[in-house]
Amino acid sequence: MQKIILTGDRPTGRLHLGHYVGSLKRRLQLQQAGGYDEFYVMLADSQALTDNFGNVQKVKDNVLEVMLDYLAVGLDPNKVTFFIQSEVSELTEFTFYYMNLVTLARLERNPTVKEELKQKDFSGTIPMGFLTYPVSQTADITAFNATIIPVGDDQLPMIEQAREIVRSFNNLYGKTLVEPQAVLPENENCYRLVGTDGGAKMSKSLGNCIYLSDEAEDIKQKVFSMYTDPNHIHVEDPGKVEGNTVFTYLDVFSKPEDFEKYLPDYKNLDELKAHYKRGGLGDMKIKKFLNSILQDLIAPIRERRKELAKQPENIFEILKVGTQKARKVAYANLIKLKTNMGINYFN
Ligand code: TRP
């Protein structure tokens, strides 16, 4: 079986550290490891429209912003095919046939969709487009015979839905599609990075994000206003590390070299945590440490991004070439799909 990787993001805003640890890092690893037949990264603008249909311009503008983030972190257009979902119209056709294989009740049970519906204001009635986006996501995956889908854990219900549709399709029309497999981030703290406010999730709408494009001063200010342990008032007080955002971030971002470089009095994070728990370690010191680590991570990304942003025409050229290629593949697979279904009138 071919190894075809496919993933994507809804272009609704710049990417932040939650995206970085939750999905971009894994993509970089996969790119680095090589040994795949194809690697597609899709700008899911059509899917973004399912809850931004009144704001097409925002989605359009963010196609460029997200592409800049992708390239700035190191995704390489020579190794990855980038494409725009709405420019591959075959995907809509796949979606239409798959809709026959899914019930309304099944869509309403999708936990991620349910969660999103709680946060959105659709004035009590759900647009069909939004409810059926998991079906269109199945189209995104299967139109390219993708086998490996690197995503955050919130996307597991989408992959499960895709697998069900694949099975139904194959049962009904003969073996045509392959069941995709999700690949999650390696570390559970990365599944859903908490926000700088300690909230459950780093999310644009909650305003608790550190962006990959943030200036040094913004990062510093966000780190220094992070939520720690509200009962750790004096330096000598014993502190809690569980639920302490600074330590959660250190769990995710600190490496042994960072201790050598910035806190040589401690061998590793366990020692730092032990000191904090005992008392005698101030919040200032741990925040300074985290700030240094995040500055080191983000500075090169931000600078590369600024360079890339000077020539947006180059970015659109990459997208154009990638989209043409994606469209060819999706078209060929659509013909196969329709042929297996028996919808072929003229040959
Ligand atoms: N649902 C994904 C998100 O919200 C984006 C997406 C659309 C996607 N189609 C996909 C991810 C196919 C993986 C595979 O970020």
Side-chain angles (χ1 to χ4, degrees), residues 1-170:
M1 196 171 61
Q2 285 207 307
K3 183 170 174 183
I4 299 175
I5 308 167
L6 182 139
T7 187
D9 296 278
R10 298 179 193 178
T12 55
R14 293 180 171 204
L15 302 183
H16 51 61
L17 285 180
H19 297 112
Y20 183 76
V21 297
S23 62
L24 296 173
K25 246 177 114 172
R26 172 64 88 199
R27 294 180 203 178
L28 291 168
Q29 277 171 358
L30 288 165
Q31 172 181 279
Q32 175 73 24
Y36 50 79
D37 297 286
E38 287 293 346
F39 192 164
Y40 297 98
V41 173
M42 181 182 75
L43 283 297
D45 64 333
S46 309
Q47 188 177 111
L49 288 178
T50 64
D51 62 338
N52 288 281
F53 42 83
N55 207 345
V56 181
Q57 192 63 43
K58 176 180 103 176
V59 173
K60 205 172 163 196
D61 291 344
N62 278 303
V63 166
L64 176 63
E65 298 296 330
V66 171
M67 265 302 277
L68 288 169
D69 287 324
Y70 286 161
L71 300 175
V73 298
L75 288 175
D76 177 352
N78 295 312
K79 298 179 180 156
V80 170
T81 301
F82 296 98
F83 71 95
I84 301 180
Q85 185 183 26
S86 64
E87 291 285 342
V88 183
S89 17
E90 286 75 10
L91 295 175
T92 321
E93 216 173 323
F94 277 93
T95 305
F96 197 64
Y97 299 123
Y98 293 162
M99 290 224 205
N100 298 331
L101 309 176
V102 189
T103 64
L104 186 57
R106 174 65 183 88
L107 290 169
E108 285 171 337
R109 270 205 313 273
N110 185 308
T112 300
V113 171
K114 266 192 186 162
E115 193 55 42
E116 285 174 297
L117 282 172
K118 266 192 238 157
Q119 290 158 18
K120 307 209 186 304
D121 181 20
F122 284 132
S123 330
T125 136
I126 311 170
M128 284 302 294
F130 185 78
L131 193 65
T132 54
Y133 89 72
V135 183
S136 110
Q137 191 154 336
T138 302
D140 304 336
I141 294 168
T142 55
F144 301 93
N145 286 319
T147 50
I148 296 175
I149 319 296
V151 282
D153 70 333
D154 62 317
Q155 294 297 303
L156 288 178
M158 307 305 156
I159 311 304
E160 194 42 48
Q161 177 71 80
R163 293 166 64 90
E164 285 176 29
I165 292 176
V166 166
R167 285 197 292 268
S168 305
F169 191 98
N170 289 346

Side-chain angles (χ1 to χ4, degrees), residues 125 133 140 181 262 316 331:
T125 136
Y133 89 72
D140 304 336
Q181 211 86 47
Y262 296 113
F316 283 108
Y331 178 75

